[in-house]
Structure formats: structure tokens, C-alpha cells
Amino acid sequence: MTHLLPMTTPSEVSKTWRVHEEYGGFSIRDFLIKVGEFSRQLLKKVRISGSVYVNGKMAELWQPLEIEDEVKVVFPKEERGAVIPRQGPLSILFEDEDVLVIDKPPGIPVVPPFNKQEPSIASYLLDEYKRREYPCTVHVVTRLDRETSGLMLVSKHAYSHMLLTKKLDEVSREYVALVQGCFHEKEGLIDEPIARAEDSIIKRTVAENGKPSQTKFYLEKQGQDFSRVRFKLLTGRTHQIRVHMAFKGYPLAGDTLYGARALEGKQGQALHCDRLCFLHPWTKEKMRFVSEPPKDWDTYA
């Protein structure tokens, strides 16, 4: 299902806090660092281009706070970057003022790698932001490869992005994939370092000098020609699942970059992010989302 962003998208991004007893006497600057978890870089941007209010009156960051004061930060308008906005469909499973959860189809990049005019999830979002006069750029938290489908998390502004990336290890994703061959192991851990392949700027490989990489796997359905396997990443390397499964001799179905046969009528690897779990950066609520893999997988395994 295709959704458009709600008409209530605000024309400015702001956050408000109430000063509790333990923070009375703090300067606004120290309060925002301690309670708001602001980075010094974001605080500098607010100081230069944003604004801060205490009880409705504009204030400076050095000013002291009293118990029960209301602190409001209006964040500066963000630079959009080089990606060209383009109108296109977006399947949005969840949206509020801080985050978006998108169900990405295969065959489209999240951000165009070279040609900034190429259609992408980022260009579609930028077009929506532009039409709604939303003053932010696209902040991708969890990226997917062009041919990988499924759930991805996007921050709607720099503050949300900063909070989520600080605790990126708490953002949990699971994937399902079709792998080529009759996979025999019920479950296990692949613990093999991954590095860039010497003869390619795209391809990765298992190598002793690579970065530590760990992938948990669980067999879901065994077939003669293809099997369905679930994965949970303990690290986040480029092409990690694809590289680790090719290393084991069971490349992802359709993943010709890593030695698999092409699937008739399909392009790229059969990989889908079907589960996403994260702590909401503002409400601190545990958020869980599920997405079914493509229906045509059932014809394989």
C-alpha cells in the first residue's frame, strides 16, 4: 500500500522539556547536553541558526534554569544536499514527528550512489518534504542494498538521527533470504572478517585483514534447489549476509555478484528485511515492525 506523508507535517522542528528538581540551576547548555543528549555539534548549530525559549521568551544558552521552567528548542532549517527530489511511491508503515518506517521494494537504491538524479527512496522523500515545506533533509538510519527489500528506518530531522545513531547497536533487524542449494545446518554463527575485494570497489570478501563480522542464521525451510534462511546481524558490514553465505557455499539466490545463478524474471539477490525493532528516540517506547517477503518466494522454497 502506498501512503503519503500526513498533511500535518510541521513547518518547523521543535522539542520542549520541563526542568525537574535535579536540574534546577543548570545552564540551558548543560541541561540540553545532560537531559536532551545533545551533541556539541548540534548544540552549536542551534546556537548559530536555531533558537531557544524559556517559558516562551527567547534565551541564551548560558542562562541558568529554575525548577519547572519550560525549555523549547527550535531547530534550524537543514541543508538538502545534492540528491534531486523526484515524485514517486512510498510505502510508509509508520510515521510521527521523529521517525519514518518504510517498506522498501527491491530494485531501487535508498540513496543514489553516483547519479544524483536517479530515482531513490531519498529523492521520493525529498519531494514530499519539499511539497509540504518540511524544513529537513533525509536521514537514513538503516540502509538497504538496491535489490534488498523490506523495512528501513529513517529519522525525520537531525536531532532524531543523532539520538538513534548514538545507540545504533540497539536497533535490531532480522532478514530472510532464499539461498541457493539444500542448506543443512539448523542454526549457527558465521564469524568471519570482511574486507573490500582487491579487484572491485563494490564487492566484499572474507579476509584475515577484514573487520570483525558476525551473522547468526536459522534454517526456516529446506529445499533441494533453494532454502529459506533467517539472519540476524551482530555487526553491520556492507553486503555482510551476502558475503558470509557465499563463503559457506550457499550464495543468496540471484546474487550473481557473489557466484549465484540469476533467477528468471528477477534481478539481484533474494533478501528481505522482515523485522525491525528500536527504541523510539523521543518517547522511548519499544517499536516493532514486521514485513512479509515477496509472495513469489513461495515458488522456490
Side-chain angles (χ1 to χ4, degrees):
M1 182 179 294
T2 299
H3 303 264
L4 295 179
L5 298 181
M7 292 299 292
T8 54
T9 301
S11 59
E12 69 175 27
V13 174
S14 65
K15 289 295 179 185
T16 303
W17 296 261
R18 182 73 64 180
V19 179
H20 297 303
E21 185 175 354
E22 62 266 39
Y23 302 112
F26 274 45
S27 68
I28 297 172
R29 177 184 179 278
D30 290 343
F31 176 83
L32 292 175
I33 290 174
K34 180 69 175 178
V35 178
E37 302 180 71
F38 276 58
S39 66
R40 298 185 189 281
Q41 182 181 16
L42 183 58
L43 204 59
K44 182 179 179 181
K45 289 181 179 179
V46 168
R47 178 177 60 82
I48 294 172
S49 305
S51 52
V52 180
Y53 299 86
V54 176
N55 302 325
K57 296 181 180 179
M58 191 170 287
E60 300 290 340
L61 293 177
W62 56 264
Q63 291 178 218
L65 293 168
E66 296 182 1
I67 298 170
E68 292 302 314
D69 277 348
E70 182 185 85
V71 179
K72 178 181 178 180
V73 173
V74 178
F75 294 93
K77 184 177 181 179
E78 298 176 7
E79 295 289 332
R80 288 282 169 81
V83 175
I84 307 300
R86 293 178 62 103
Q87 189 170 2
L90 290 167
S91 179
I92 297 174
L93 301 186
F94 175 83
E95 180 187 9
D96 63 11
E97 64 182 24
D98 300 301
V99 298
L100 284 158
V101 176
I102 293 174
D103 199 351
K104 174 189 170 299
I108 184 170
V110 173
V111 177
F114 304 113
N115 181 3
K116 301 304 180 183
Q117 297 189 42
E118 181 183 3
S120 66
I121 298 297
S123 67
Y124 294 166
L125 278 171
L126 284 174
D127 180 72
E128 283 293 333
Y129 289 180
K130 183 179 178 180
R131 291 200 305 116
R132 305 295 171 82
E133 299 182 349
Y134 185 62
C136 297
T137 191
V138 175
H139 301 275
V140 177
V141 180
T142 60
R143 187 172 297 196
L144 298 174
D145 293 340
R146 178 191 293 264
E147 300 302 334
T148 301
S149 58
L151 300 170
M152 54 175 289
L153 176 60
V154 177
S155 291
K156 286 185 65 179
H157 49 80
Y159 179 54
S160 168
H161 187 249
M162 181 208 69
L163 292 175
L164 282 166
T165 52
K166 271 186 176 181
K167 299 178 180 179
L168 195 57
D169 58 342
E170 297 179 13
V171 178
S172 174
R173 289 182 288 172
E174 291 188 21
Y175 297 77
V176 288
L178 293 177
V179 304
Q180 188 172 287
C182 182
F183 194 71
H184 293 285
E185 298 178 61
K186 296 295 183 184
E187 62 179 76
L189 173 69
I190 307 172
D191 187 0
E192 298 288 346
I194 292 176
R196 189 190 298 272
E198 292 183 1
D199 58 346
S200 174
I201 62 171
I202 299 174
K203 193 174 181 181
R204 269 45 175 190
T205 187
V206 168
E208 290 184 1
N209 65 342
K211 295 180 179 179
S213 307
Q214 295 182 318
T215 305
K216 283 186 175 181
F217 64 86
Y218 311 86
L219 178 63
E220 288 199 338
K221 188 177 180 182
Q222 187 183 61
Q224 189 61 42
D225 298 318
F226 300 95
S227 302
R228 190 177 298 208
V229 183
R230 173 168 299 280
F231 300 96
K232 186 168 185 179
L233 300 180
L234 302 185
T235 54
R237 309 301 174 208
T238 300
H239 296 180
Q240 182 172 315
I241 293 171
R242 300 166 64 185
V243 173
H244 274 167
M245 291 310 292
F247 177 77
K248 286 184 70 67
Y250 298 91
L252 270 57
D255 195 357
T256 55
L257 181 65
Y258 290 102
R261 300 186 303 274
L263 290 176
E264 185 176 352
K266 295 181 69 68
Q267 184 174 349
Q269 71 279 357
L271 180 62
H272 182 83
C273 181
D274 74 331
R275 297 180 187 177
L276 172 67
C277 182
F278 62 95
L279 199 65
H280 192 282
W282 182 251
T283 68
K284 307 307 179 187
E285 178 185 357
K286 196 78 167 180
M287 311 292 288
R288 293 182 175 88
F289 299 90
V290 175
S291 167
E292 293 296 323
K295 292 292 185 183
D296 60 1
W297 283 20
D298 294 336
T299 62
Y300 297 96

